[in-house]
Structure formats: structure tokens, C-alpha cells
Amino acid sequence: MKVAKMPRVKASPKKCIKSNLQQPASSWVFLLKGEALELSEQYTGSGTPDIVTLRHPNTGESAVFLFSPVNNSVQEVLTLNEAKRSWFIDESVKSDGKLQLSTPIDPIFLVLPYLRKYCTAYAQPLDQLLRDDEFPETERLLKSSGLSYLTMIADRKGDDELNAFKYNEEKTLNWLKKKTERVADILKQKNIHVTGSGAVSSNFVKPAKSESNDQDAHLRYAHGIVSEYLMDDLSLKLLKFLELPEETSQLNLKRKSSSSTGQDAKKPKLEDENRSSTSNVLDLSKPETKPKPPTLTTKDKARAKAASGSKSISSFFKKS
Amino acid sequence: MFEARLVNSSTFRKVLDAIKDLLNEASFDCSENGIQLQAMDSSHVSLVSLNLKSDGFDKFRCDRNLTMGMNLTSLGKVFKCSGADDTVTMKAQDYADTVTFMFESKKQDKISDYEMKLMNLDQEHLGIPDTEFSCIIKMPSIEFARIIRDLSQFGESIVISCTKEGVKFSAQGDIGTGNVKLAQTHNFDKEEESVTIDLQEPVALTFACQYLNSFTKATPLSNQVKLSMCENVPLVVEYQIPELGHLRFYLAPKIEEDEN
């Protein structure tokens, strides 16, 4: 039940429930995507995936991740916990009803906070960058295959051998935009209800008109999902980059349930206000009352209704 | 320096009443030829074109072409402060950001002046081509206002069809239909009460009632109204302002939906 409710889309995992009957006390129920267990033929080491802690890209706290045996792919581990649940494993009962789930994650998300922190001004070799005393396992990210796409968010500097990179925000936003749009597409494909307000009957057919709204809502929701892997300030930048209005973003804030984002969200607005007031001072041409944004009175609305079905008058006359 | 003096301020007040129903704000373009105004309503279906000739004013001086953007609601407030037979003088400096209205009472014993802030309005000017109209109807403006008001009760749009027999206004809606037919009449004693039709070919066009109703707010300006129609061209409703110029409304016809 819980799994179905999660607003996440992933390839259906091959169910290989690992149960270790010898030590039932320290066993978990773990849903794992098959490829994490598969070994390439050249590989000769111990063949189990490793569970490690790394810095979470959103919170900066420790979080559990899973490395495949050859380190080439990273998966994040999610725990679903329901208080009143136990598992039956063969002949025994396991009282810990937690369900561990792992899904592949793009390692670039994990590298991004390091890049943003250390490589904005100068390029740094990747192996130095990913040395985190608190989380020594971070180095293993170097071997993950996804990291070859690091040029999507950073510029390579110097020799190829040096493997040094400098953070590039423009590239990053473009890359995140693509990610977000892909998530939005999937949300749409799977017909996931994303408009925040209230429940909607599953057989409610939306009028075709609301499609553009819909697109925005999907994008906004997708942004919320992607933001779970981004630092808050970057998430806000992405929101701007996607050209989604900020004020109606409670949905995302709710998803993220972090109080600090609320304050952050206000900051750029204040800046905007300041900017507009200063530019007004500098504007020497007739600084008198600016034309107000057109507010629609009831009269205007009635007229707009009466106007429907008529061509625009400007289509008859040439602009001079 | 711009200065325009009009002994009869009520004329200007009537012009204002006629256009402020359609427009919230407008630019008055002043040149040595007079004052012009051209603006579309908020839905961009109708166009208001006002022309006040300089020699119609009692005094007119305009050294430099000047565009004054005004909020018509505010302008209405200023004119509400004037008496019925006051003389009005409009004044503005070159490149000014305010305009001053001075009202003098008939006996010159009371002078009030009001300064109003101007606005920056970016408005596009449309070139209006000369059109050979299929038919031109002249009729008493009060009669036109009455017909539009009556037929507005029946439907949202009015069909104006003109044949050599006369002109027919018709509307239909939920409660039924209404038709008003006018034949040509000549009244030589009272020219302003006659209905004349200058017809090249029959034409029938549909228009939104609400706009026509707004146009009839100009009725006090003139005894006669001139309607010019042609297929696929906006209707022109013209009110002459005696000695001063004219006020024209252009309205795009409705796209016929009956066939669907």
C-alpha cells in the first residue's frame, strides 16, 4: 500500500528479497533493483553490494546509499516504516516491519554540492574534491559510471588526466531543467494527480483548456521531486529558471517540509522590490504615476464577454 | 507651451462622458491642428477616435507637439468640479508631467484651477484606411440610442441590415426576437430628424450590443449620428461635435456563428 502511494516512478524492481536465516536478528527486508547485484565477468572480488553513508545533497546530513559491487552505480536507500507491521520470512516472524528500498540515483546529484562549495572560483581535481573526512566513502563515487557526464554541470579544466572541473551554474540549471521536464513527462504519462488542492475523482475528465495549467502543475510537482536532491538556494534558482512563479510554490515547500526555505523564498522578492524602487529613481523621463497593471473591473469583464466572437479591431487597421 | 480655451466647457465634458465608458485611460495628442485621441478599449474590439480642430477653440496655442496621457476617471473628477456654463482653459508646459484645468464662471467672479498628473501610456497608433462604404445611414442620435437600448433586452448582439427599403435592426435571445425597421424620411423643416440612407449595395452585419450601447453615451454631443457599414470592415459610428470636430467609434463585426 505504502509503496503505491509514493509519488515516485521507477522501473519495477526485480524482487529479490534477501533473507538471511542464520542471523534473523540483523536481517532486513530489502527491495533491490536487480542490476545492483549483477557482476561483470572480469570482476573477481566479493560479490555483494555495499551499504555506505554519504552526505545527502539536499540536507547535508548523512544518508544511506548503496554501491554496487564494482562501484559503478549508486543507489539511494529509502526506508518505509509502518509501526504495526512485521514480516513473515519462511518459518519465522521478523518483528521489524521496515521495508528498505533502493533506487538508482544519478551520482552527479551527490557531487553537485561539493562542486558548488569548492569549485565555483577555481577548478579542482575530482579525486581531491571528493575527499570528505566525515564520509570517507564519498571517494567511491569516482568510479561510478554516471560521473562521466560531469561535464553537463561543470567545465573540464586542464589535462584530461588531471580530471579537474569548475562548476558552471548555467550548465547546471540547463541540466536540471531537462531532468525536471523528464520527471514532469513521466508524471503526465502515469497520470499522477499533481494539482495541490483537494482530491479529484479518477474519472474526472479535465477540460482541454486547462492543459497549459496542467503542464505548469506537472512541472512544479516535478521541481518539488528534483528539489529533494538539491540545496535550497539552487532549488529556488531552478524554479526561476523554469519560469514558474514563486508565490504559488507552497506545494513544493510542503513537500520539502523545511522551514528555512520559506525564508529563502522571501529574499529574492525583497531584492526585486528594492531594484524596482531604485530603477524608478533613475528613470528621469516623467517619473509620475506609472500606468497601473490593468486591473479588470466588472465592467471590463462584461465587455470582454461581449467582445467574444468579434475580431480584434487592430486586425483591420494597419499599425503606423 | 500648450493652451486651449473653450468657452463652453460642457462640450468637453460631454466628450469625456462619451468615451470614459469604453476607455480607462487615453493619450491626448496635441498639435497646432488641434487635439486628437485614438485608443482601443481593453478588449481591443473597438476603437475610439476623437478629433477636435484647433480653430474650434476660442483660443488655441500649441508650440510643440505634445502627448498627454490621462486617466479618464481622474479627468472625470476634475470636470465634475466645473459648473455647467464655465469656461475651461487647458494648460501644459512642454515636456510637462502635469496638466492644469482652469474653470472660470460666466460672471468671472469665480476661478478655480486643478492640476492633474499625467501618465506615460505606450499606445500604438493605428492607420485607418479610407473605405468606400456599402451604405451610410444618417439618423437622429436619440432614435439610435433608443433602438439599441430596446433591442439590448433581447440579445447580446444586434444585426444591422440595410437594403434599399430601409434599415433593419434585429436581435434575438431567450425571450424572443425584436426587430426595428426604419424607412427613409425627409423632414425639411427639421433636418436633424430625418433618416437618410446612401446605399451602394445591401449589407448585413452583426455587432455586440454592449459596445453599441457604450457608443450611444455620445448622444448628447449631436442630434444626428452617422453609421457607415461595409462587409468585413468595422462599423463606424460618427457623432459630429458642432464647430469643434467629430467623435468616431469603430467596432469590429461579430463573426457569424449561425452556420455552425
Side-chain angles (χ1 to χ4, degrees):
Chain A
M1 275 299 277
K2 196 89 189 258
V3 180
K5 268 191 210 164
M6 294 270 296
R8 244 165 237 271
V9 178
K10 51 180 92 73
S12 46
K14 291 177 199 165
K15 282 183 188 119
C16 34
I17 296 174
K18 238 176 94 183
S19 60
N20 196 337
L21 283 173
Q22 275 81 46
Q23 317 149 288
S26 65
S27 64
W28 322 303
V29 176
F30 205 129
L31 231 59
L32 198 62
K33 204 179 169 191
E35 65 195 37
L37 291 166
E38 278 157 20
L39 295 172
S40 62
E41 278 160 11
Q42 297 93 0
Y43 184 73
T44 49
S46 67
T48 48
D50 266 337
I51 290 169
V52 298
T53 53
L54 299 176
R55 201 181 283 282
H56 193 274
N58 172 234
T59 55
E61 305 290 316
S62 69
V64 180
F65 289 86
L66 178 135
F67 277 107
S68 66
V70 263
N71 288 341
N72 61 1
S73 84
V74 198
Q75 307 207 358
E76 78 176 311
V77 177
L78 299 163
T79 306
L80 298 175
N81 193 3
E82 235 170 44
K84 298 196 171 55
R85 183 170 62 191
S86 297
W87 294 105
F88 287 108
I89 301 171
D90 292 341
E91 303 276 303
S92 59
V93 175
K94 175 150 184 53
S95 63
D96 177 8
K98 280 181 189 159
L99 171 66
Q100 318 279 344
L101 237 156
S102 81
T103 54
I105 178 173
D106 193 331
I108 291 177
F109 277 111
L110 300 173
V111 179
L112 186 56
Y114 291 98
L115 266 174
R116 267 168 64 85
K117 201 166 168 193
Y118 300 111
C119 299
T120 42
Y122 306 100
Q124 217 183 72
L126 208 55
D127 49 344
Q128 284 174 28
L129 183 70
L130 296 180
R131 211 169 283 157
D132 191 328
D133 291 339
E134 236 179 299
F135 302 98
E137 308 278 0
T138 311
E139 264 182 283
R140 295 173 72 159
L141 282 172
L142 278 173
K143 290 194 186 137
S144 63
S145 52
L147 226 55
S148 53
Y149 298 105
L150 201 63
T151 45
M152 300 289 280
I153 62 159
D155 300 318
R156 187 190 284 273
K157 299 278 169 181
D159 261 352
D160 273 13
E161 244 170 76
L162 197 61
N163 214 11
F165 290 91
K166 183 165 179 272
Y167 174 64
N168 182 329
E169 183 146 285
E170 201 189 318
K171 274 183 169 181
T172 306
L173 286 172
N174 268 316
W175 175 75
L176 287 170
K177 187 180 175 188
K178 274 184 207 138
K179 288 257 179 214
T180 315
E181 282 167 354
R182 279 175 65 179
V183 175
D185 281 349
I186 296 280
L187 286 174
K188 209 186 234 169
Q189 246 176 53
K190 305 265 167 177
N191 233 339
I192 288 164
H193 173 56
V194 292
T195 40
S197 52
V200 168
S201 158
S202 61
N203 21 348
F204 172 65
V205 180
K206 284 192 214 90
K209 261 186 202 165
S210 67
E211 214 155 66
S212 65
N213 272 342
D214 232 45
Q215 177 65 33
D216 263 14
H218 278 110
L219 212 56
R220 183 176 294 283
Y221 199 82
H223 170 261
I225 294 177
V226 172
S227 293
E228 283 182 15
Y229 301 99
L230 297 178
M231 283 150 93
D232 293 338
D233 57 332
L234 190 61
S235 155
L236 276 173
K237 277 181 191 159
L238 177 60
L239 193 66
K240 260 192 196 152
F241 191 72
L242 290 168
E243 290 169 351
L244 293 172
E246 213 171 281
E247 51 267 68
T248 47
S249 63
Q250 291 108 327
L251 188 71
N252 299 323
L253 298 177
K254 213 184 280 168
R255 271 191 69 93
K256 296 182 75 189
S257 69
S258 118
S259 57
S260 66
T261 43
Q263 288 164 351
D264 281 352
K266 273 176 195 159
K267 257 185 218 155
K269 248 191 230 163
L270 274 174
E271 277 169 17
D272 275 354
E273 274 165 33
N274 291 340
R275 208 174 300 136
S276 64
S277 66
T278 48
S279 69
N280 211 13
V281 171
L282 291 171
D283 186 12
L284 294 172
S285 61
K286 291 196 184 177
E288 73 280 4
T289 33
K290 284 196 287 180
K292 278 184 231 150
T295 45
L296 280 180
T297 60
T298 42
K299 201 173 77 185
D300 289 334
K301 277 181 205 151
R303 197 183 302 131
K305 195 170 158 263
S308 65
S310 299
K311 257 178 141 180
S312 165
I313 194 91
S314 50
S315 66
F316 293 100
F317 301 136
K318 279 169 269 155
K319 276 171 195 158
S320 57
Chain B
M1 169 91 187
F2 165 75
E3 195 176 332
R5 185 180 162 88
L6 201 59
V7 169
N8 205 349
S9 72
S10 65
T11 307
F12 200 86
R13 202 169 164 172
K14 283 177 198 163
V15 170
L16 187 59
D17 287 340
I19 62 173
K20 74 172 189 214
D21 201 46
L22 278 171
L23 307 172
N24 298 323
E25 51 218 13
S27 292
F28 292 80
D29 298 315
C30 308
S31 67
E32 57 182 10
N33 298 320
I35 302 176
Q36 265 98 34
L37 177 152
Q38 195 199 67
M40 281 184 279
D41 74 287
S42 57
S43 300
H44 290 214
V45 167
S46 67
L47 181 91
V48 179
S49 167
L50 171 72
N51 189 5
L52 304 175
K53 289 175 295 189
S54 56
D55 41 0
F57 288 88
D58 300 289
K59 187 182 171 192
F60 194 91
R61 178 182 164 193
C62 185
D63 302 340
R64 196 181 280 272
N65 287 3
L66 188 70
T67 298
M68 298 189 288
M70 296 189 207
N71 181 316
L72 296 183
T73 319
S74 312
L75 190 57
K77 284 176 187 164
V78 170
F79 271 83
K80 229 174 227 170
C81 305
S82 73
D85 37 46
D86 282 3
T87 297
V88 62
T89 309
M90 263 170 94
K91 274 187 269 186
Q93 300 296 325
D94 296 338
Y95 312 112
D97 51 23
T98 58
V99 60
T100 306
F101 293 92
M102 188 173 80
F103 299 106
E104 294 161 76
S105 70
K106 204 143 205 172
K107 282 189 256 161
Q108 297 281 323
D109 53 357
K110 178 182 165 193
I111 295 173
S112 41
D113 57 273
Y114 301 93
E115 193 177 277
M116 192 178 78
K117 286 178 188 163
L118 294 175
M119 324 168 69
N120 266 329
L121 301 171
D122 21 291
Q123 281 182 330
E124 44 187 357
H125 273 255
L126 299 172
I128 299 165
D130 287 328
T131 312
E132 287 284 315
F133 287 99
S134 309
C135 71
I136 295 170
I137 305 153
K138 284 184 192 158
M139 61 189 286
S141 59
I142 294 174
E143 188 63 59
F144 178 64
R146 176 72 202 250
I147 291 169
I148 299 300
R149 199 189 68 203
D150 290 350
L151 290 180
S152 296
Q153 305 178 97
F154 288 86
E156 284 171 0
S157 44
I158 288 181
V159 181
I160 305 177
S161 48
C162 194
T163 57
K164 56 181 186 295
E165 278 82 44
V167 56
K168 188 174 89 172
F169 298 84
S170 43
Q172 60 174 349
D174 295 338
I175 58 167
T177 57
N179 289 292
V180 178
K181 278 181 212 155
L182 289 181
Q184 289 204 61
T185 51
H186 277 287
N187 191 330
F188 293 105
D189 299 331
K190 288 184 176 171
E191 191 72 41
E192 68 271 12
E193 281 180 18
S194 53
V195 177
T196 57
I197 298 170
D198 180 2
L199 185 86
Q200 307 298 323
E201 56 181 297
V203 61
L205 293 169
T206 312
F207 301 100
C209 272
Q210 188 167 5
Y211 281 92
L212 295 174
N213 246 328
S214 297
F215 299 165
T216 59
K217 298 282 190 288
T219 303
L221 279 174
S222 173
N223 292 327
Q224 281 259 317
V225 60
K226 189 167 100 177
L227 312 176
S228 311
M229 293 201 297
C230 187
E231 204 70 53
N232 291 321
V233 160
L235 163 80
V236 186
V237 180
E238 181 178 323
Y239 293 88
Q240 289 293 330
I241 306 166
E243 289 156 17
L244 203 57
H246 61 78
L247 174 61
R248 283 188 190 141
F249 299 100
Y250 294 81
L251 177 62
K254 283 214 167 196
I255 299 148
E256 295 292 340
E257 287 162 305
D258 296 352
E259 289 109 62
N260 305 342

